[in-house]
Amino acid sequence: MHFNMNVMMDTAIFLGKFLYYFLESVAFKIIPRRKKDVAGDIVLITGAGSGLGRHLAIHFACTGATLVLWDINQESNMETCRLAKEKGGVKVFAYKCDCSNRQEVYRLADQVRKEVGDVSILINNAGIVTGKPFLDIPDHMVERSFHVNVISHFWTCKAFLPAMLQANHGHLVFISSIAGMVATGKLSAYSASKFASFGFAESLFLEFTLSYKTKIKSTIVCPYFIKTGMFEGCTTKYSFLLPLLEQEYVAQKIFNAILEEQVYLLIPKFTYFAVILKQTHFSNDERKNFNSARTRFLLF
C-alpha cells in the first residue's frame, strides 16, 4: 500500500511538472523570454580568436559588458579584439592562453582578476577536432582532444567559480556538440571528449543549481557541425534535415540562450529527435531507462 502511494505521488508530481513545463514552452513561443542585462558583467571567452568565439565576442561587445578574450593564437585574438571594439566594445582585453595548460590557466586567471576584475560569465568555447579513423589518430592528438575539449573546463571553472559563488552571481557556458550526445564515426576522440564535456557541464549544473541553490546559471550548447576550419571538408548526407551550420546563426542562438538563461540548447531543433531516436536500438529494459532519463532531460 505504501509503495503504491509513493508511485501515485511520483506520477502526480511528474504529470504536474510535465504540464507546467509544457505550458511554459508554449507560452515562450508566444511571449519571448525576458533577456537579462549583462552590462557591467565581465565575460571571458576561450577560443576567441576565430570562429564561434569571435562571433560571440562581437555579440557581447554591443551589450556594455567587459570582454576578456583568450586564445592560443595571439595574432587572431588581437584581430577579434579589434573587431569587438569596432562593434562598440569599450573594455576589451586579449590574452594569449593555452587552455589545456593548467598552470597557464591559473596564472592568467590571477592576472585577469588583478587587471580586469572577477569574471561573471565564463564561456568555455575552445575546442579541437581530429577527423580520422580511430587507429589512425596519433596518441598525442587523443590526449590533446581531451585536454582542450573538456579537461580545460575543470581548470577555468576552478579558477573563476569561487568568485561567482561568493557574489552569488554568475553564468557558466559550455560549448559541447551534438557529437557529445549522439556519436558518429571517425570522430572517436572528439566525440568522447564532447560526451565528457556534456557530462561535466550537466553535473555542475545539478551541483550548484539544485544542491546549493545558488544563482549561478548554466547553459549547455550542443550544435551540429558548424562551417568552421575545424570541420573543413565535412559533408552531411541529409543536408535538408541536418545542414552544416553557419557560424553567425549558431552564435546568435547561443547569445540569445545565454541572455534568456536557457540551460540546454541543441542546434538545429531536429537534433532533439536524433537524441530520442537512439533508443530504437535498445532492448526493452534499456529503452525504459532511457525514456526515464530523457524525460528528466527534456523537463529539467
Side-chain angles (χ1 to χ4, degrees):
M1 183 67 177
H2 178 69
F3 174 77
N4 289 336
M5 286 297 294
N6 285 340
V7 171
M8 291 175 63
M9 182 63 71
D10 289 343
T11 302
I13 292 172
F14 167 78
L15 291 174
K17 287 184 176 180
F18 182 88
L19 180 61
Y20 171 82
Y21 286 107
F22 174 76
L23 292 175
E24 182 186 53
S25 66
V26 171
F28 281 132
K29 291 190 179 299
I30 302 171
I31 306 171
R33 292 175 184 258
R34 182 180 63 85
K35 290 181 170 61
K36 68 179 178 181
D37 183 7
V38 296
D41 276 300
I42 297 176
V43 181
L44 188 146
I45 305 171
T46 68
S50 61
L52 199 55
R54 174 173 289 178
H55 284 276
L56 286 171
I58 291 171
H59 277 289
F60 275 100
C62 309
T63 63
T66 297
L67 291 179
V68 178
L69 311 177
W70 281 12
D71 199 280
I72 196 169
N73 187 321
Q74 180 69 350
E75 184 177 348
S76 62
N77 204 30
M78 291 305 298
E79 175 63 11
T80 300
C81 181
R82 183 188 68 80
L83 292 171
K85 288 181 177 178
E86 268 186 8
K87 293 295 182 179
V90 178
K91 297 180 180 179
V92 187
F93 302 84
Y95 298 85
K96 181 180 180 180
C97 181
D98 178 0
C99 294
S100 67
N101 186 314
R102 175 168 52 89
Q103 290 82 3
E104 190 167 328
V105 168
Y106 289 166
R107 176 180 61 80
L108 282 172
D110 287 336
Q111 188 175 344
V112 167
R113 277 189 288 270
K114 292 173 184 175
E115 297 178 355
V116 186
D118 290 325
V119 170
S120 50
I121 300 178
L122 171 62
I123 304 177
N124 286 298
N125 167 72
I128 62 170
V129 64
T130 304
K132 294 183 178 181
F134 170 65
L135 292 177
D136 293 339
I137 305 175
D139 291 353
H140 74 277
M141 286 306 298
V142 174
E143 293 178 338
R144 182 72 176 164
S145 295
F146 275 86
H147 281 295
V148 174
N149 293 348
V150 61
I151 296 177
S152 65
H153 299 180
F154 283 77
W155 313 146
T156 55
C157 288
K158 276 180 174 281
F160 299 113
L161 251 176
M164 294 185 192
L165 288 170
Q166 186 174 4
N168 199 24
H169 171 75
H171 199 140
L172 302 174
V173 182
F174 301 89
I175 311 300
S176 182
S177 170
I178 197 62
M181 300 184 74
V182 180
T184 183
K186 296 186 179 180
L187 285 174
S188 54
Y190 178 79
S191 189
S193 62
K194 289 298 186 178
F195 264 90
S197 169
F198 182 89
F200 173 66
E202 192 170 53
S203 178
L204 275 191
F205 163 67
L206 294 172
E207 181 175 338
F208 290 103
T209 304
L210 303 182
S211 300
Y212 297 129
K213 301 186 185 302
T214 70
K215 292 184 179 179
I216 308 300
K217 306 300 180 180
S218 294
T219 297
I220 307 170
V221 183
C222 295
Y224 188 63
F225 301 136
I226 307 171
K227 292 181 182 179
T228 66
M230 285 178 60
F231 295 103
E232 186 175 354
C234 179
T235 58
T236 175
K237 186 175 181 180
Y238 304 105
S239 58
F240 63 99
L241 289 176
L242 288 172
L244 295 180
L245 302 173
E246 297 292 341
Q247 296 179 46
E248 173 54 29
Y249 171 78
V250 177
Q252 182 67 63
K253 289 287 186 182
I254 296 171
F255 179 68
N256 290 340
I258 295 170
L259 296 188
E260 294 171 358
E261 298 182 341
Q262 186 175 337
V263 178
Y264 298 102
L265 175 64
L266 275 62
I267 312 170
K269 288 184 178 180
F270 181 79
T271 53
Y272 285 94
F273 293 99
V275 175
I276 294 171
L277 288 173
K278 282 181 67 176
Q279 68 174 311
T280 58
H281 299 288
F282 295 165
S283 67
N284 287 335
D285 289 340
E286 290 172 327
R287 189 175 293 116
K288 289 176 183 177
N289 292 334
F290 182 85
N291 279 332
S292 175
R294 182 192 65 189
T295 300
R296 292 179 61 193
F297 169 77
L298 292 175
L299 292 184
F300 305 107

